[in-house]
């Protein structure tokens, strides 16, 4: 009998998806080939998603979710509610937490440039970090996106008392505790269904060369350097255009970032907006992104020199690999390092406008080099195919053992998390009574 496997996505899954939703949709697709899979999603799906069951999160909240989760052999999630994590640790359920997005590091710049108080920024940073610490203390096993991330998480697991001589004797590599499951790409190459940019979008002609920024414009990225490079290029040629694929997150609960506004403002100030630099102010549906990738000539990604960059896994680069696109990216993260090592395009120094201009022109103006790079990209594609990258997760899900004895520190950790989360709500809503006032408001009976 196949194992019953519950996947919990914390982001929208459907026609329009961002990274977390795509990841869990693909997990469900692959794992359903060998297990009885149910996917929990925050939204009501508009249509069937695949050969697996789908449950809307609102239908199984609180205690109902805990009882529901305990009916499965394996649960896979980024995090769950604090009491659920503690409850599942004591149950005969194998819980695998997905650490591909390190909250500790990713949230350092989440509210950068936003009009929020320093106190709110501190509290909003601390709450999700505590949630991930509870996951580390209570999980049966863990996955992350890269070997570099794995080093980070092994250090944190050691600090939380999850590594000891007994476990290392049985599992010297600790691969049964934490293994690498990167983001993946679809095994079949993309197919275009309609023209979308060249000769279609006003300002982009059929003979133009298109640089594609293939995802959102979040605060931890640097779209400003490529835009400044476009200003230099536009002064000596008019055939290179930059297109931002989407700036409005498909999850309505995610607000537009300060960096998005800065990017649009800079393009406007330099006279590039809708002439050399173009923004899609919506979000391209998942099934339609191939049309944009196949019309592009280069995929690009740019970021500042931060600790977030070092431990990030830029999933948009995998879409470029999927489409066979040469990539120009800022050096420093594991995938841009791969671009440099395997000649999949060009890795450019942080903030190097001249380097960006040179990299773009080297690839666009040298047909032989361009063809050579495309061959290299196509060779790397199979390494990241979803069926292959999900294999370590399938292995971890097949292992026995679920019950975990959480360290004593988990209980106070839980209360600290709840306090921080309530404080964040109080600060955001301007409630002077702090966390206690939030609790009072939540306990008020609804107005008829």
């Amino acid at each position: 009998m196949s194992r019953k496997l519950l996947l919990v996505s914390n982001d929208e899954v459907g026609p329009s998806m961002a990274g977390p939703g795509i990841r869990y949709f693909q997990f469900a697709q692959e794992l359903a080939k060998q297990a009885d899979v149910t996917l929990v999603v925050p939204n009501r799906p508009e249509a069937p998603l695949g050969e697996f069951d789908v449950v809307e999160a609102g239908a199984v909240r609180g205690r109902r979710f805990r009882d529901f989760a305990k009916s499965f052999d394996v649960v896979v999630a980024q995090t769950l509610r604090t009491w659920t994590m503690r409850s599942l640790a004591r149950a005969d359920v194998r819980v695998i937490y997905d650490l591909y997005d390190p909250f500790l590091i990713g949230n350092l710049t989440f509210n950068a440039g936003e009009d929020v108080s320093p106190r709110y920024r501190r509290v909003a940073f601390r709450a999700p970090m505590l949630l991930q610490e509870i996951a580390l203390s209570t999980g049966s096993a863990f996955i992350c996106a890269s070997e570099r991330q794995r080093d980070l998480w092994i250090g944190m697991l050691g600090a939380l008392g999850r590594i000891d001589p007994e476990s290392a004797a049985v599992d010297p590599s600790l691969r049964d505790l934490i293994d690498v499951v990167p983001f993946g790409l679809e095994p079949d190459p993309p197919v275009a269904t309609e023209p979308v940019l060249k000769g279609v979008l006003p300002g982009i002609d059929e003979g133009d060369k298109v640089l594609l920024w293939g995802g959102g414009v979040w605060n931890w990225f640097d779209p400003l350097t490529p835009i400044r490079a476009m200003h230099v290029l536009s002064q000596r040629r008019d055939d290179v255009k930059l297109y931002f694929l989407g700036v409005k997150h498909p999850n309505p609960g995610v607000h537009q970032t300060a960096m998005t506004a800065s990017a649009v403002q800079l393009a406007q100030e330099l006279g590039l907006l809708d002439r050399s630099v173009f923004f899609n102010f919506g979000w391209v549906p998942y099934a339609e992104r191939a049309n944009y990738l196949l019309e592009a000539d280069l995929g690009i990604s740019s970021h500042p020199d931060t600790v977030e960059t070092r431990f990030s896994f830029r999933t948009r680069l995998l879409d470029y690999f999927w489409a066979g696109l040469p990539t120009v990216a800022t050096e420093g993260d594991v995938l841009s390092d791969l671009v440099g090592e395997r000649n999949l395009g060009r890795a450019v120094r942080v903030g190097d406008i001249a380097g960006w201009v040179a990299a773009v022109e080297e690839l666009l103006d040298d047909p032989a080099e361009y063809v050579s790079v495309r061959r290299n990209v196509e060779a790397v594609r199979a390494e990241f195919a979803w069926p292959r990258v999900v294999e370590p997760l399938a292995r971890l899900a097949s292992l026995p053992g679920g019950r975990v004895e959480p360290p004593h520190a988990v209980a106070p950790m839980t209360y600290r998390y709840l306090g921080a989360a309530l404080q964040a709500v109080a600060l955001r809503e301007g409630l002077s009574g702090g966390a206690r006032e939030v609790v009072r408001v939540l306990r008020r009976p609804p107005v008829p």
Side-chain angles (χ1 to χ4, degrees), residues 10 20 78-79 100-114 116-133 152-153 218-220 254-255 257 306-309 311-312 314 417 420 424:
N10 67 357
Q78 287 188 267
T79 59
Y100 97 105
D101 181 9
F103 295 166
L104 166 65
I105 290 163
N107 285 359
L108 286 170
T109 56
F110 188 78
N111 290 301
E114 310 289 339
V116 295
S117 70
R119 190 178 172 206
Y120 172 80
R121 188 174 284 115
R122 285 195 303 273
V123 172
F125 164 73
R126 183 64 178 149
M129 194 175 79
L130 281 165
L131 203 60
Q132 212 158 43
E133 284 181 33
L152 169 73
W153 292 120
W218 317 130
N219 287 337
W220 47 90
V254 178
H255 64 278
T257 64
T306 64
V307 68
E308 186 276 336
T309 291
F311 291 102
S312 67
R314 305 291 187 212
Y417 163 73

Side-chain angles (χ1 to χ4, degrees), residues 184-199:
L185 50 83
E186 293 163 62
D188 296 325
V191 176
T193 58
E194 62 177 347
V196 288
L197 293 174
K198 296 181 179 181

